[in-house]
Amino acid sequence: MGSDRLSNNIRRLRFENGQMTQQQLADKAGVTRQTIIATEAGKYAPSLPLAFKIAHAFGVPIDAVFQYENENLSTPSQNNSTEDEK
Amino acid sequence: MSKLQKSAWFNLGIVTLGGLFAMLCFVLAANRIEKGFNYINVILCLIMMCIFVPVALIIHKKKSYEAGFDEREKMIEQRATTLSLSCSIIFLYLASFIPFVALGGGNVIKVIYLPVIFICTAFTGQFIKSMAIVRQCALEEEDG
């Protein structure tokens, strides 16, 4: 079993969006500041609706905010190159 | 401090104070009964107040706090509730069987101890739940 890793760019996006504070982001997403802190630090994996709300607060797609990495999962580009070699 | 932490600390304080006062009144009542004190009804009413007033405060505050819980706080509260229910069941089991084992199968204990066991179980459950919430929030702050 590979290791799961959910990472995010919330901190960078906050600074890129007019130095948005954690409280401001929390108000836009409808959660507490502690939830934003825990999500930003990778200690809490948000639900899908919350992830969409955070992405909507930044005006970017959800995969620009959250990235999922798993050692056992291969990306579609890796699968295509394997089929071309055959 | 978030609403969840405030709620947990409030419940913890109320349960601890109420439990201490109830124990104090119970000890005083038991001591006075042995000396032939006649105002046992007054003391029992004080004990009941020490139990039911905290319970009423906790229920009232719980409703107002829970309205503001977000998904993460609800998850923390669910974990704490599961832990408190498990601990309450274990406590009830131990509180029921330890006197039975200690006194021997042929002896009996007074029926007045049965509501005491149930109330202590409820207080223990609420105490464990509050501690679990405070601890989970503290762990997140330590790591972050």
Side-chain angles (χ1 to χ4, degrees):
Chain A
M1 296 288 288
S3 62
D4 293 341
R5 192 164 168 268
L6 182 68
S7 58
N8 64 78
N9 302 319
I10 293 175
R11 190 177 178 84
R12 180 178 61 80
L13 287 165
R14 278 198 300 113
F15 287 134
E16 288 176 2
N17 280 266
Q19 302 284 327
M20 191 189 293
T21 62
Q22 288 170 333
Q23 184 61 58
Q24 287 170 333
L25 178 58
D27 292 338
K28 284 186 177 183
V31 292
T32 60
R33 191 174 69 90
Q34 284 77 13
T35 300
I36 296 297
I37 291 169
T39 307
E40 203 172 285
K43 299 299 173 188
Y44 174 68
S47 66
L48 207 50
L50 177 57
F52 273 103
K53 283 180 189 174
I54 293 173
H56 187 258
F58 291 130
V60 297
I62 192 170
D63 54 357
V65 185
F66 297 99
Q67 296 81 41
Y68 177 72
E69 295 167 12
N70 183 288
E71 289 177 2
N72 285 341
L73 291 179
S74 56
T75 59
S77 57
Q78 288 175 350
N79 286 336
N80 289 337
S81 63
T82 307
E83 287 174 3
D84 290 339
E85 286 173 5
K86 289 182 181 176
Chain B
M1 201 181 282
S2 64
K3 277 190 177 180
L4 180 69
Q5 285 174 293
K6 284 181 191 172
S7 164
W9 279 113
F10 176 79
N11 291 348
L12 200 58
I14 290 289
V15 164
T16 305
L17 283 174
L20 286 173
F21 275 119
M23 275 171 53
L24 183 66
C25 292
F26 189 78
V27 167
L28 281 174
N31 190 28
R32 288 291 183 262
I33 288 169
E34 289 176 9
K35 294 181 181 177
F37 194 59
N38 292 325
Y39 292 95
I40 184 63
N41 292 332
V42 174
I43 293 176
L44 284 175
C45 285
L46 279 173
I47 294 173
M48 288 294 118
M49 273 176 58
C50 292
I51 294 164
F52 286 113
V53 167
V55 167
L57 278 172
I58 286 169
I59 291 171
H60 173 70
K61 279 289 185 182
K62 187 173 184 283
K63 284 181 184 174
S64 62
Y65 277 129
E66 271 191 353
F69 286 175
D70 65 4
E71 59 175 54
R72 179 185 136 270
E73 290 173 336
K74 281 180 186 166
M75 188 182 74
I76 290 174
E77 204 214 9
Q78 279 171 0
R79 281 188 205 153
T81 303
T82 305
L83 181 65
S84 76
L85 281 174
S86 307
C87 291
S88 297
I89 290 169
I90 293 170
F91 180 88
L92 186 61
Y93 177 82
L94 291 173
S96 302
F97 276 90
I98 285 176
F100 179 79
V101 171
L103 295 174
N107 292 314
V108 294
I109 58 172
K110 291 181 181 177
V111 70
I112 190 69
Y113 287 112
L114 189 61
V116 173
I117 290 172
F118 287 140
I119 289 166
C120 287
T121 303
F123 268 58
T124 301
Q126 189 62 41
F127 184 83
I128 296 287
K129 182 178 173 180
S130 301
M131 286 294 293
I133 291 171
V134 167
R135 184 63 187 151
Q136 284 182 84
C137 293
L139 279 173
E140 279 189 0
E141 285 171 12
E142 277 173 17
D143 294 337

